[in-house]
Amino acid sequence: MSKFELTRFPLIKNLLKNRYPQLAVFVLMLAGFLFAITAGFVGTPVGSHNFSIVFVWIAWWAILILVAVPFFGRGWCAVCPIPVVGDWLQRGAVLEPAPKMSKWLNLRVPAKFRNMWMQNISFTLVALFSSVILTTPVVTSVVLAAMLFLSIGLSLVFERRAFCRYLCPVGGFIGLYAQTAPLELRVKDKNVCAHCAGKPCYNGSELGSGCPWDVFPGGLTKNTYCGLCMECLRTCPHDNIAINLRPFSADLAKPSAKLDETFKAFIMLGASLVYAYVLMGSNGSVKLVAYSVFSPAWFGYAAGFLAVIFGILPGLFWLSVKFGAIKTSSPGKQFTTAATALIPLGLMFWVAFSLSFVLTNATYIFAAISDPLGLGWNLFGTAATAWQPMLSSLVAPTQTLALVGGLAWSARTAQKSAPQAGISSVPVIVYCLAATFLMLWLLL
Amino acid sequence: MRPYAILFLLVLAGLVVAFAPLPAHFSAPVARTFHVEASQFAYQPGEISVNPGDKVTIELVSTDVVHGLYVDGYGVSVKADPGQNATLTFVADKSGSFRLRCNVTCGAMHPFMVGKLNVGANTWLYRSLALASLGIFSVFVLARTTKME
Ligand code: SF4
Ligand code: SF4
Ligand SMILES: [Cu+2]
């Protein structure tokens, strides 16, 4: 597999190594983020005319799922404003790296939480309430503010970026899908690392903090947990860190077979199917139910949602794996290894689902940029832009392209991971085909 | 060279499945009227089906707040005040499935207030299902040919 090192260009390398460009982006992002929180609290309660909803759930979401994750993996995490304030407080500085002795508690996250389960739970919670969060500015602001304060709180109690790594509801699936991205940060030569004294990339030095994401760059084999924060690029004294272009889905060649990550894949796949049915379908009563949180009917909806993501989808997959078993190795390992195929499938389900509302509602962005609070301002003269679906004749063909491409991609992944799982790939591929048929039927 | 030839054939097959014209199923155009009730956040009925060429009239009546009905792909719309009838007439000259969308902000779930207009059969769905199957077939064929190399 061929790789192309981007950091071989001094311009790219210096731009990434220097702290000022990143700081400038952080400040801009943080300003936008704080403004979105404020807009949700003081602006109009009408979601489609409030900056918080329009910028977070249409603009940001579109960029994240259609561009950032598929092409840059965790690229979003490199500029995300949520952990920035906590980082600054934790280090006691804006630009300087973390001091040797922390002023705060600096605890290690307990081992039983050092996995993706908390992120699975946090995402599921957001998903169950998503109809309200997606449409109500105040609620979006409460969620954004909660993320900000949780990340600050965790930065003061635990070492490194505990929030990003173990709690952020977005971070989990970005990490899962980042494995498919054609971009990676890796060491150039593992031998150099083996003989490197003090491992400053992990332990920190006066040049930068030890890996905030608690990974040892020398051991990186997949993108899931590297936040592309560039600290190791700054600290490595041997110039051994590289950012490479690589083929899509390179990390999936070696399945990681961890149950928390496998369930992340089921949660994402299931949520995209449920959303396609609830939000894009013609059934109005289910929309009302999804919106009426804590009503008896909503509990039924929540139970159905949970049954799909934790019961039906994994259950049917389990059966497919059983059915295709060739070797009698550990069934748990067969299950998690075979589920690698669901990673590209789920990513493309989300791409297809997002296409159905992003282009339709993109005109809200023009209106909201001129009148972010819905108070009748007209900053750029575009406040009166009428709602009008954009490129609507392209939506269905692009969705088909995404779903069929995703299916072929996942079938290919299944063929590669099946021998490692000791199973036949056919039942897994049939599972992916059935899920794709369902998604096509829901969206088209 | 061989895998490339096969790939070429498969792509060609995909293009045929996606774009080959189908024999037009002809039925004499008629005028059809639908009474559609709009309420937060749905149309009742949620789906209406007509034949290509039909003259479609939608009588929209809202049972709660002001709602709109915008036909994706046709770009025509109508708005109904509560309790008032409003009518929209157009000729369904494009076949396929189109979303009906509320285009008057009518409450929280307004962006997701959708219905469906089917003009003839939903051929794009069938083509897509066929493309998905062809995609799987291609993966098997290509895996086999690259293994033989
Ligand atoms: S500092 Fe550089 S050479 Fe040393 S272990 Fe880390 S990445 Fe490897
Ligand atoms: S320090 Fe290096 S390995 Fe750790 S998150 Fe940042 S970029 Fe990734
Ligand atoms: Cu409406």
Side-chain angles (χ1 to χ4, degrees):
Chain A
M1 285 279 153
S2 49
K3 288 180 179 178
F4 180 82
E5 193 199 327
L6 288 175
T7 34
R8 78 161 78 153
F9 301 111
L11 180 70
I12 294 182
K13 187 158 153 192
N14 293 333
L15 267 177
L16 294 173
K17 228 173 149 168
N18 192 309
R19 289 179 186 277
Y20 288 98
Q22 192 180 29
L23 180 69
V25 181
F26 272 150
V27 169
L28 208 73
M29 289 285 179
L30 192 61
F33 185 72
L34 295 175
F35 184 69
I37 295 181
T38 317
F41 284 121
V42 306
T44 170
V46 179
S48 38
H49 296 289
N50 192 305
F51 183 90
S52 71
I53 297 287
V54 173
F55 270 76
V56 173
W57 298 123
I58 302 174
W60 170 76
W61 181 259
I63 292 171
L64 180 75
I65 204 73
L66 302 178
V67 182
V69 174
F71 296 102
F72 300 95
R74 272 208 192 269
W76 163 256
C77 298
V79 296
C80 174
I82 296 174
V84 169
V85 180
D87 262 6
W88 290 344
L89 288 171
Q90 191 183 54
R91 299 200 307 255
V94 168
L95 282 176
E96 277 78 63
K100 273 265 159 283
M101 287 297 294
S102 171
K103 302 192 262 313
W104 308 96
L105 285 173
N106 209 28
L107 301 178
R108 189 129 179 89
V109 174
K112 67 165 176 265
F113 294 118
R114 290 210 294 268
N115 50 50
M116 248 191 212
W117 285 112
M118 295 303 287
Q119 289 176 318
N120 285 344
I121 295 171
S122 67
F123 181 87
T124 307
L125 280 176
V126 172
L128 288 178
F129 294 93
S130 58
S131 293
V132 176
I133 299 174
L134 283 177
T135 55
T136 320
V138 181
V139 182
T140 280
S141 287
V142 169
V143 171
L144 298 184
M147 287 167 78
L148 182 63
F149 285 111
L150 274 171
S151 78
I152 292 177
L154 292 184
S155 291
L156 305 186
V157 176
F158 296 105
E159 59 164 18
R160 308 183 196 242
R161 281 203 187 174
F163 176 81
C164 299
R165 187 62 212 266
Y166 305 115
L167 195 58
C168 177
V170 187
F173 76 78
I174 298 183
L176 184 79
Y177 292 145
Q179 297 179 86
T180 66
L183 191 80
E184 65 176 19
L185 180 142
R186 295 289 185 274
V187 295
K188 296 176 193 167
D189 180 357
K190 292 206 172 179
N191 287 321
V192 176
C193 296
H195 298 111
C196 169
K199 313 266 189 283
C201 57
Y202 183 78
N203 295 312
S205 70
E206 59 293 346
L207 291 173
S209 308
C211 176
W213 288 69
D214 199 24
V215 301
F216 171 50
L220 274 176
T221 54
K222 59 179 185 171
N223 284 351
T224 314
Y225 303 111
C226 162
L228 296 177
C229 69
M230 303 301 147
E231 286 301 320
C232 55
L233 195 69
R234 293 166 187 142
T235 49
C236 176
H238 305 290
D239 190 22
N240 198 26
I241 302 282
I243 293 177
N244 304 317
L245 284 180
R246 60 174 204 182
F248 280 94
S249 79
D251 294 349
L252 302 183
K254 272 196 74 199
S256 68
K258 288 171 69 198
L259 199 60
D260 53 339
E261 295 175 13
T262 302
F263 266 88
K264 172 60 74 191
F266 283 115
I267 293 169
M268 296 310 294
L269 194 69
S272 67
L273 286 164
V274 172
Y275 286 165
Y277 171 66
V278 173
L279 299 178
M280 292 300 139
S282 312
N283 185 339
S285 42
V286 70
K287 292 177 213 276
L288 262 188
V289 167
Y291 182 74
S292 317
V293 291
F294 299 125
S295 71
W298 176 83
F299 281 102
Y301 159 80
F305 201 140
L306 295 175
V308 168
I309 60 180
F310 290 112
I312 298 171
L313 286 179
L316 290 174
F317 193 75
W318 177 266
L319 290 178
S320 323
V321 171
K322 280 260 116 179
F323 194 71
I326 294 169
K327 280 190 234 138
T328 48
S329 68
S330 138
K333 183 140 185 300
Q334 288 182 323
F335 178 73
T336 49
T337 305
T340 312
L342 303 179
I343 295 171
L345 190 73
L347 174 63
M348 297 318 267
F349 273 32
W350 275 93
V351 166
F353 165 70
S354 303
L355 283 170
S356 60
F357 69 87
V358 164
L359 287 173
T360 308
N361 294 314
T363 43
Y364 285 137
I365 297 174
F366 301 117
I369 200 161
S370 275
D371 186 14
L373 304 178
L375 296 179
W377 303 354
N378 198 352
L379 299 177
F380 303 99
T382 52
T385 311
W387 174 85
Q388 175 82 37
M390 286 171 75
L391 305 173
S392 62
S393 59
L394 285 184
V395 173
T398 345
Q399 287 176 317
T400 300
L401 208 61
L403 291 173
V404 171
L407 176 66
W409 188 2
S410 67
R412 195 72 199 104
T413 309
Q415 286 180 336
K416 289 180 185 158
S417 55
Q420 304 178 53
I423 62 166
S424 151
S425 64
V426 175
V428 171
I429 292 176
V430 170
Y431 180 98
C432 296
L433 180 67
T436 303
F437 274 12
L438 182 60
M439 194 64 172
L440 283 167
W441 178 71
L442 289 171
L443 287 180
L444 295 179
Chain B
M1 185 56 215
R2 245 181 68 106
Y4 284 104
I6 291 173
L7 189 65
F8 177 75
L9 286 179
L10 290 170
V11 169
L12 208 66
L15 290 173
V16 169
V17 173
F19 299 114
L22 291 174
H25 175 83
F26 184 79
S27 48
V30 292
R32 294 172 193 269
T33 303
F34 297 89
H35 183 82
V36 177
E37 266 180 24
S39 60
Q40 287 169 324
F41 297 95
Y43 298 105
Q44 193 59 252
E47 285 195 23
I48 56 186
S49 300
V50 303
N51 287 321
D54 284 356
K55 189 175 170 198
V56 183
T57 301
I58 294 177
E59 275 176 26
L60 186 70
V61 55
S62 161
T63 60
D64 45 31
V65 297
V66 187
H67 290 287
L69 186 153
Y70 173 94
V71 187
D72 245 14
Y74 282 83
V76 293
S77 68
V78 65
K79 178 175 130 181
D81 289 319
Q84 307 270 310
N85 268 27
T87 41
L88 169 69
T89 303
F90 61 98
V91 177
D93 51 5
K94 282 176 247 179
S95 37
S97 256
F98 304 91
R99 287 248 151 65
L100 308 172
R101 300 178 188 273
C102 183
N103 63 345
V104 179
T105 305
C106 62
M109 294 288 277
H110 156 71
F112 305 110
M113 177 162 170
V114 290
K116 215 176 198 184
L117 166 73
N118 301 309
V119 183
N122 190 353
T123 41
W124 183 249
L125 173 62
Y126 304 133
R127 287 179 195 263
S128 300
L129 297 176
L131 283 171
S133 314
L134 181 68
I136 292 294
F137 176 74
S138 313
V139 169
F140 278 113
V141 170
L142 289 174
R144 187 141 300 191
T145 48
T146 44
K147 214 181 279 165
M148 283 191 326
E149 285 291 290

